[in-house]
Amino acid sequence: MNAQDLAISLVYIAYALAVLLTFGAILTWVERKQAAIMSDRIGANRAYVRIPFTQVKLIWLGLFHGMADGLKLLLKEDFKPLAYDKLAYALGPWLAIVPVLLVFAVVPFGGTLDPGRLFPSLAGWFGGRTYPMQIAPIDAGILIVFAFSGITIIGAMLAGWSSANKFSLLGALRAGSQLISYELVMGLTVLGIVLIFGTVNLGTIVEQQSGTALGFLPAWGIVYQPFAAVLFLIAGIAENKRIPFDLPEAESELISGYFTEYSAMKQGVFMLSGIHRDRGHRCAVRHAVLRRLQPAVDERHRLRLPGRPRPATQSRLGRRAAVADLPRQGLPALQLPDPRAVDSAALPLGPAAALRMEVPAAAGHCQPGRDGGCAVGAAGMRRAMT
Amino acid sequence: MSLPPLTTLPNPIRPAFTKGLTPGSVIVNIGPSHPATHGTIQIVAEISGERVVRTDVHCGYLHRGFEKECESHTWHTLIPYVDRLNYCSALINDFAYCEAVEKLMGIELTPRCRHLRTLLAEYSRIADHLTCVAAALMEMGAMTAFLYLVTIRDYVYEHIADLTGARVTHSYGRIGGLARDLPDGWLQRLEEILDQMDTFVDRVHGLVDRNRIFIDRMRDVGVIATAEAINWGFTGPILRSTGAPRDLRKDTPYLSYGELEFEIPVGIKGDNYDRYYVRMREIDESKHMIRQLIDMLQPGPISVDDRRCTLPDKQAVYTEIEALINHFKLIMEGPQVPAGEAYSAHEGANGELGFYLVSVGGGVPWKVHCRSPSFVHMGGVHRMLDGYQLADLVPTFGSVNMIGGECDR
């Protein structure tokens, strides 16, 4: 690896982390607002940023709540239980979050980057090298996703076991059994995609989805494998322990499940890992595999989501979840730049690319199971308040 | 690395068991500091995996000496204490207590007072059932349904506050009458709220009644048979959910219930779903009764004209010596209740709410005993918890609607 490769990798990593952490906050906000609308409430609208030396308070529909929550969690006392296994207790949150972040190493988030074309002044240094927009273009893409995301189970189990609390232990047992069972479903549903495309390399899979099937259907994985896609969605929700699969947390009987004894940012890390794990899976597998990534921009100028099958489980209380339509949720209708002006061979590493990658994933995240599902938001909120 | 030995405080209670029946089972202490136990109940549960083998329910964490405290208050000034028994439907407590005192004094209420008390009791029952169903739903994760029901309950509370001056603990009953008459427009607002209630309650019916997740968690969970429920002294919606149509409003009609037309909803097997449904149906019946009572209400005095208990008109107190003395006697010494004892029971939102009073004459009770349904239910609730999953403990306990205030007194 030479200096140029290293520079590009670092830029990618910084980009992935920045997008991840920002979107964690924004998705929480979307979740809260959505839940609020469904239950006739207003939702988060209190936190604000005051412009210094003025009385101008920026509320921005409560978008700063994520920041406020994060800040508060960082500043809270890290209260530890009386008797616990110190090593495992400290290791738990990290084992939960680090593999989740690592998953994003193999997620492709764009086409091929030609840094020389993007920054002509650096053309000489890069010498015509091009890079796929992926932190680690590894052949074993999907396998890596599953390998890493499987590790998070250990984090949950360790956390539950080391807290020396029966509720934590019960939550950990539930988490373990639930995650392992649904990991199986997840793996099997993706197996169909692997058979169809004949590869586990995520980049190649994405490329293969750019054609058409039967002459008129887009050759997306979801067209080939609709049933698997639905199963995958359900398994994904279950993996992430979101309502109605929130048995490991089960706040009404197990208080907080395996992270009952964690406080402050350690608890926050567990919550973050849930959100990111969700997105990691979706980005990696549903977005990249079940949906073609790159040339699809042509038809979709606006960030409007095409309908996609929703799992039956999402109507937790018989009510249809509002499709996460970002413009309707109050965000300004974002307009992508005219994609024809963008050379798809050399996608710029800019906001347009980021949005193209993230918005379907983001909307997808909050879509299923969110109905009545304010409970997660509210529970999280309540936990964050305690 | 091995876990260090647990250093815990000695358990302050003596549970019925300290060792599991099988080597694989674990004894878990649920509560009193647990989200599902209202902070007032301790459930010592032996669990084997996720299955609850047996439970031992302890109450008393909210004991505040209500019955003893009553002995140092006049018959009137203990009414605010009575409010704090079942604080979800405080008016029913007020009226049940007042009726017991009136029984001792041999007072016949005015028709308007009787109808108004009945109306308000049913209104409180609605608020109580809304609270119970909402809380039970929330504990299962149905936050939206919870918020719908609590919205309408808040309308009810605000509306009752217009009449009584307080949202939760109203202190509105008086011996021989009520604190004050209805303000203008109160009945119109009542009609509006009943209509809005239809909307909100229908929404909740639509959300959960045929919802698979809800049914799976409620149906055939926490089952109790009629015979067993009667043996344990269960009353109210829990007994009715088993199929026994026992309701004091029908069996021993008090207030205006004899003149009203209403049904007693019963369940079919006494599980959580039946208890939910009985409560929802009782809300409908209460609405039906309130609508009848609105038509029955006629203008007239709301308190009996009896100077043993009713405060004289304020204008008279300022102008006539007899009224002034009467006022002072009632305030300083309390209503003069003849010696004797009386038991009076009303159908509270949770079941039979009875007051057993002993008087030795004078303005202060010798003994006030409250037969609170929640306390009796706590005696037998383990029969509904044993043998089910740990997760079932929460909806079952929620559907019992234990109210710490009246359970521990």
Side-chain angles (χ1 to χ4, degrees), chain B residues 266-400:
Chain B
V266 291
I268 46 176
K269 50 171 101 163
D271 57 9
N272 281 342
Y273 192 89
D274 281 347
R275 286 190 279 278
Y276 155 77
Y277 217 88
V278 164
R279 286 206 170 85
M280 289 300 254
R281 278 285 290 109
E282 280 189 18
I283 293 178
D284 295 342
E285 289 302 320
S286 295
K287 276 189 288 195
H288 184 50
M289 278 185 254
I290 290 177
R291 290 196 165 113
Q292 293 173 50
L293 285 159
I294 292 174
D295 296 335
M296 285 158 66
L297 266 184
Q298 297 297 330
I302 52 157
S303 294
V304 289
D305 187 16
D306 186 336
R307 60 177 188 197
R308 284 182 303 164
C309 58
T310 308
L311 284 172
D313 182 43
K314 207 69 179 169
Q315 197 55 42
V317 173
Y318 288 139
T319 49
E320 297 164 21
I321 187 66
E322 292 84 359
L324 183 66
I325 292 171
N326 187 2
H327 182 90
F328 272 125
K329 284 282 196 188
L330 277 176
I331 297 294
M332 314 285 281
E333 290 172 9
Q336 297 302 306
V337 176
E341 55 189 78
Y343 177 78
S344 156
H346 279 194
E347 183 70 28
N350 282 335
E352 178 176 342
L353 174 73
F355 282 94
Y356 174 68
L357 308 179
V358 181
S359 170
V360 289
V364 175
W366 183 256
K367 170 74 189 170
V368 175
H369 174 71
C370 172
R371 188 264 183 220
S372 63
S374 286
F375 181 68
V376 179
H377 292 159
M378 283 306 103
V381 73
H382 63 278
R383 304 292 301 167
M384 294 147 80
L385 302 174
D386 293 357
Y388 296 97
Q389 303 283 313
L390 181 65
D392 294 336
L393 193 140
V394 176
T396 305
F397 198 75
S399 75
V400 171

Side-chain angles (χ1 to χ4, degrees), chain A residues 31-44:
Chain A
E31 188 176 316
R32 288 175 67 174
K33 276 291 189 190
Q34 220 178 353
I37 289 167
M38 272 186 279
S39 46
D40 287 353
R41 289 181 292 124
I42 298 167

Side-chain angles (χ1 to χ4, degrees), chain A residues 38-41 82-85 164 166-167 170 174 244 251-255 315-319 372 374-375, chain B residues 1 3 7 26-27 29 34-36 47 50 139-144 147-148 203 207-208 211 213 390-391 394:
Chain A
M38 272 186 279
S39 46
D40 287 353
R41 289 181 292 124
L82 203 60
Y84 65 104
D85 184 329
K166 286 169 186 167
F167 291 115
L170 270 170
R174 286 185 182 185
E251 55 150 16
S252 51
E253 75 248 23
L254 298 186
I255 300 126
S315 57
R316 171 170 171 71
L317 287 170
R319 215 176 118 110
C374 18
Chain B
M1 193 174 184
L3 280 172
T7 49
V26 181
I27 292 174
N29 180 38
H34 185 279
I47 56 170
E50 285 279 332
E139 281 168 349
M140 282 185 288
M143 198 69 183
T144 307
L147 285 163
Y148 285 159
R203 277 197 208 170
L207 282 173
V208 301
N211 184 296
I213 297 173
L390 181 65
V394 176

Side-chain angles (χ1 to χ4, degrees), chain A residues 96-108 134 136 138-153 183 186-187 190 194 200-203 205-206 232 236 239-240 276-289:
Chain A
I97 187 100
V98 171
V100 170
L101 296 179
L102 285 179
V103 163
F104 285 85
V106 295
V107 176
Q134 199 173 2
I138 299 172
D139 284 344
I142 293 184
L143 299 183
I144 298 273
V145 170
F146 279 94
F148 278 138
S149 64
I151 296 176
T152 55
I153 302 171
E183 198 80 36
M186 265 189 143
V190 172
V194 174
V200 288
N201 184 329
L202 282 168
I205 291 176
V206 171
F232 180 84
E239 279 276 294
N240 299 306
H276 287 156
R277 191 184 151 81
D278 202 14
R279 299 185 48 240
H281 275 131
R282 300 268 159 83
C283 279
V285 191
R286 195 179 78 213
H287 182 59
V289 177

Side-chain angles (χ1 to χ4, degrees), chain B residues 66 75-102 109 113 117-118 120-121 124 160 163-164 166 168-180 254-255 344 346 348 353-355 357 370 406:
Chain B
F66 159 77
W75 296 98
H76 248 151
T77 51
L78 65 84
I79 287 177
Y81 286 150
V82 174
D83 270 334
R84 280 139 181 93
L85 292 173
N86 183 348
Y87 39 77
C88 291
S89 50
L91 287 171
I92 300 182
N93 309 335
D94 275 11
F95 302 152
Y97 164 74
C98 288
E99 183 169 289
V101 183
E102 285 148 11
L109 292 176
C113 173
R117 277 192 186 181
T118 319
L120 289 169
S124 294
I160 297 184
L163 169 65
T164 65
V168 180
T169 48
H170 316 288
S171 308
Y172 181 65
R174 294 287 182 272
I175 295 161
L178 295 167
R180 61 189 74 83
Y254 53 91
L255 293 177
S344 156
H346 279 194
L353 174 73
F355 282 94
L357 308 179
C370 172
E406 70 172 5

